[in-house]
Each structure stands twice: as structure tokens, then as C-alpha cells.
Amino acid sequence: MNGKASPPTLRDVPAILTPDHAVDLKAASTPNFYQELDSDYGGFKGHVLISEHAFSADWGVWEVHPAGDEFIYLLEGAADFVCYAEGRETVTRLDTPGQFVVVPRDAWHTARTTVPTRALFVTPGAGTRHSDDPRA
């Protein structure tokens, strides 16, 4: 070994931007990661999660972020990001690395794909909720 440590990846160690713009790191290895964010960071108020997720199937769940817009940047693969707000559904197809979508505050959203996909997420997480289908 050369004595040099490998830097972390956002997939394994997401970054948390605190209200004073410091960056904290928290390993994403526990099944209760998101609940821990709420408890460790006072409900995540004023914090932003910067993370990478890999997926190769539809999410199967919808989410909404009332604290602000979410920024999603495609790293590889392809996915349809589906938003539902004010009774209307919109679909944004990301299929070229470097493309991005901004999910508006309070818009329910999910992703649909059938291919291996990786994306970078910048998420204002305070108050995030999940639903099997908010359109029902």
C-alpha cells in the first residue's frame, strides 16, 4: 500500500450542507439513514443533502420536498422523472449524462427506468414525505 486513502464517494458517504454552509459527511450504510438525518440534524431544517443514487427499476414510491426545489443531475443511464403538482403530471426524460431536472418545491415526484442509472441529487430534505401514489 502507498499510504494514501481513497476519497469517499457520494454513494457511500453523502454530503450534508448545513445552514452555515459547512459540509458534514455521514455514511449511508444504515437502513435508517434518512430517519437518522432527521434526528441528528434537528428535523433537517435548513440542511441540504447531496447524494448519488443508482437504480435500475422504477422507484415504486413518490416523494415530495416542501423545504425547496430538488436538483437532479444525470450521471449515466436514462430515466423519466415524473412530477405531479396541482393536479397535473409532467414527465422529463433524462437520457444524456449532464442533463438535469429541477423538481419544484411541493411537487410529488418519482422516477421510472429499466436500465442501470446513476444520478446526483441535491435535496432540501426537511419535511420530506413519501406516498405509494399521491394521485390516488
Side-chain angles (χ1 to χ4, degrees):
M1 298 217 19
N2 60 13
K4 294 182 181 177
S6 296
T9 67
L10 285 174
R11 191 177 329 166
D12 298 327
V13 184
I16 298 141
L17 184 61
T18 66
D20 64 355
H21 298 163
V23 174
D24 283 349
L25 302 175
K26 179 171 177 53
S29 58
T30 69
N32 298 319
F33 175 76
Y34 293 101
Q35 293 87 347
E36 291 171 7
L37 287 179
D38 280 344
S39 64
D40 293 351
Y41 293 95
F44 218 63
K45 183 177 181 179
H47 293 76
V48 175
L49 180 65
I50 304 168
S51 59
E52 177 188 325
H53 293 286
F55 50 99
S56 56
D58 296 354
W59 284 358
V61 68
W62 292 72
E63 64 181 18
V64 65
H65 308 292
D69 299 343
E70 181 174 41
F71 178 84
I72 304 170
Y73 181 89
L74 185 68
L75 298 169
E76 69 179 347
D80 290 331
F81 287 90
V82 183
C83 291
Y84 179 73
E86 299 177 4
R88 202 176 93 219
E89 185 175 287
T90 58
V91 178
T92 302
R93 175 86 174 156
L94 301 183
D95 58 11
T96 302
Q99 292 178 323
F100 66 89
V101 63
V102 176
V103 177
R105 171 193 314 253
D106 290 324
W108 285 95
H109 56 284
T110 191
R112 297 179 184 143
T113 191
T114 58
V115 299
T117 300
R118 287 184 321 117
L120 174 77
F121 294 80
V122 180
T123 309
T128 294
R129 297 186 323 271
H130 295 92
S131 172
D132 290 336
D133 189 347
R135 302 167 299 174

